[in-house]
Amino acid sequence: MSGDAQPSSNQRATDAHPPPSPPIIKEKAAIGALCVVCGDRACSHLYYGVAACHGCKCFFWRTVKSKLNYSCRYGGNCSISTAGRNACRYCRFHRCLFVGMKMEAVKMDRKLTKRKKEKMDGDESDDGGNPESLDYKIDAKRARSDNHLLISSLLLIDKTSSDGNAKLSSLHFVQPSLQNLLEEPELLDGFRSEMSYRATRQADAQLCYDTERRLVTWAIDWCRQTAEIGDVHHTNDKIALLRACCAPLVLLELGCQSSQFGNSDTRVPLCNNSFLTAHQAPPSVSFINYKTIQSLNKWTQRELKPLCLKAKEIVLLKTLVILNPDAPGLSQEAESSIRMLRDRVHTTLFQMLMESSEPVAAASRLSQILLLIPQLTLMGVDVIEQVRVRNTFNKHSAFGEGILFWQLYGDIFDDQNSDDSSSYLEHSASCSPTDSQYSTTDSS
């Protein structure tokens, strides 16, 4: 989705001629409610009068605000579902209207903006009514509002991706492709257990598989929803982003959880209350090997923990890890959209830092945060290599649950995925410190 096409979470559906009082009440959707347009998981509040998912509320807002006109090649009879909601915009918009979304709720934003502008016209005595100064202040306020909206959307993605849904898995009966998993998110419902990092027991082979499955599912949900915010709807483009970001995104999540432990704690907590330790080799079937565990532990203690990242900074950093315009396989259109959204996330992060510190300190912290990305990417290459080696020599394991990583990276004989891995390494090496800084032997 383009940078200026974000629906306001404060917009709510009203009647065509609302009374001046009482104020509009923000209604909440029922817990576990589904989007009445496409059937996906609905957001926590009602938008434009109905329970809608993030994608459909954004689509409706953008269509009404930009006065877009669509056409249908099949007579307006297309089925709108989670898998095919992007196939026909005409039918999707008419479905929005049919279920009760109100265009007047979108237009309220324009009226409020006009009233604020008129109020500012009366208060601009210091600027002598300078229209350029007025326009600048309006644009600045609008930018801050859009930034807060973006952060709220990302926090919601992070929460919903980590929550469990207690549903049964459909993967015991089918062997889906990555395309199936991205187009039909419900196929992974059984893998969406609640993520918890209490680190109460050391992980064995089965717990490592369970963690791998849950973390890849979490990465798929993050990547899919972030791509939709950036108006990247083609499944092949989402797969390209997922292949490029999955390993570093998972390492970032594990590092953030590890940073909450003490300085001398060498545990790497996993999302099923188990842990791996830097003093002991993990199970041979683990997706993360001994070298990577040690590198991750040192990186967390030396680089990540001293920053004391806040929740908003973490979700923006996760988004930047996903938004890699150099991901192999991206179409030109998707690459352009990704660059635009990445620039917007950069701006949002910097403006958020400026609100709490001086410009020099904000710029310094921004650079420290951004320098985490190439280091993560470099460690991610080790994860990819470990997974590919494991997929080669453990194809018939007792658990046989490495299907998601298998779909992502294949084995060492897969030439296509091998090219992708070398591209990740080339991308990270261009902006990363030397790997010796996080080698398994501590030079200090």
Side-chain angles (χ1 to χ4, degrees), residues 117-366:
K117 183 175 180 180
E118 292 174 349
K119 182 179 179 180
M120 291 178 64
D121 284 337
D123 297 336
E124 288 299 321
S125 57
D126 294 339
D127 297 328
N130 187 348
E132 293 184 359
S133 176
L134 176 61
D135 290 341
Y136 173 79
K137 291 186 176 182
I138 293 176
D139 291 342
K141 286 189 175 181
R142 184 175 300 147
R144 286 195 296 270
S145 177
D146 288 345
N147 292 340
H148 289 310
L149 263 169
L150 176 60
I151 294 174
S152 298
S153 299
L154 296 177
L155 288 171
L156 179 62
I157 290 175
D158 193 50
K159 182 180 184 303
T160 56
S161 299
S162 302
D163 289 344
N165 55 20
K167 294 183 179 179
L168 296 177
S169 174
S170 304
L171 298 187
H172 296 299
F173 312 103
V174 296
Q175 295 294 323
S177 64
L178 284 177
Q179 182 174 355
N180 298 141
L181 298 178
L182 286 166
E183 292 179 349
E184 302 178 58
E186 62 273 11
L187 289 175
L188 291 170
D189 277 350
F191 292 169
R192 293 187 177 94
S193 57
E194 184 177 358
M195 297 173 69
S196 178
Y197 293 88
R198 289 194 293 269
T200 57
R201 54 179 173 170
Q202 190 160 353
D204 56 17
Q206 180 62 65
L207 290 173
C208 286
Y209 265 129
D210 293 342
T211 296
E212 170 187 325
R213 200 173 49 197
R214 182 63 183 99
L215 286 174
V216 178
T217 301
W218 171 83
I220 290 174
D221 290 340
W222 247 105
C223 186
R224 174 176 56 83
Q225 296 180 78
T226 303
E228 290 179 357
I229 290 180
D231 252 353
V232 177
H233 300 300
H234 200 283
T235 304
N236 288 341
D237 292 323
K238 293 179 182 179
I239 292 175
L241 283 176
L242 179 62
R243 281 202 172 107
C245 78
C246 184
L249 186 64
V250 165
L251 290 175
L252 175 58
E253 173 70 4
L254 296 180
C256 289
Q257 298 299 330
S258 299
S259 65
Q260 300 178 20
F261 293 165
N263 292 330
S264 60
D265 200 325
T266 61
R267 291 178 298 171
V268 175
L270 305 181
C271 63
N272 53 6
N273 293 324
S274 61
F275 65 89
L276 298 172
T277 176
H279 295 320
Q280 184 175 347
S284 59
V285 295
S286 172
F287 67 97
I288 182 172
N289 60 23
Y290 182 57
K291 173 188 174 184
T292 309
I293 292 176
Q294 287 195 319
S295 298
L296 178 63
N297 183 262
K298 292 179 181 179
W299 174 79
T300 301
Q301 296 298 330
R302 296 177 181 179
E303 306 292 340
L304 185 61
K305 192 168 185 177
L307 287 175
C308 298
L309 294 179
K310 301 175 183 177
K312 293 180 180 180
E313 294 173 332
I314 291 175
V315 295
L316 289 171
L317 179 58
K318 289 177 180 177
T319 307
L320 290 174
V321 171
I322 295 172
L323 298 176
N324 181 4
D326 299 317
L330 275 183
S331 66
Q332 290 185 350
E333 180 181 359
E335 180 183 340
S336 176
S337 298
I338 290 300
R339 288 187 185 278
M340 290 177 61
L341 181 57
R342 186 185 63 170
D343 291 343
R344 183 182 173 200
V345 174
H346 279 148
T347 303
T348 301
L349 178 57
F350 182 63
Q351 290 187 352
M352 185 181 69
L353 296 174
M354 286 281 290
E355 292 175 358
S356 58
S357 58
E358 296 295 325
V360 174
S364 175
R365 184 169 178 81
L366 176 65

Side-chain angles (χ1 to χ4, degrees), residues 86-101:
N86 297 316
C88 181
R89 297 182 178 183
Y90 177 89
C91 292
R92 186 181 186 184
F93 181 65
H94 280 266
R95 173 71 178 171
C96 292
L97 296 176
F98 177 77
V99 298
M101 283 192 173

Side-chain angles (χ1 to χ4, degrees), residues 4 6-8 10-11 61 65 104-122 134-146 149:
D4 61 346
Q6 286 290 324
S8 172
N10 295 324
Q11 296 170 352
W61 183 88
K65 181 177 182 294
E104 294 82 0
V106 178
K107 296 177 181 178
M108 284 174 56
D109 181 56
R110 300 177 185 175
K111 296 178 180 179
L112 291 174
T113 302
K114 183 178 180 181
R115 284 200 295 267
K116 289 180 180 179
K117 183 175 180 180
E118 292 174 349
K119 182 179 179 180
M120 291 178 64
D121 284 337
L134 176 61
D135 290 341
Y136 173 79
K137 291 186 176 182
I138 293 176
D139 291 342
K141 286 189 175 181
R142 184 175 300 147
R144 286 195 296 270
S145 177
D146 288 345
L149 263 169

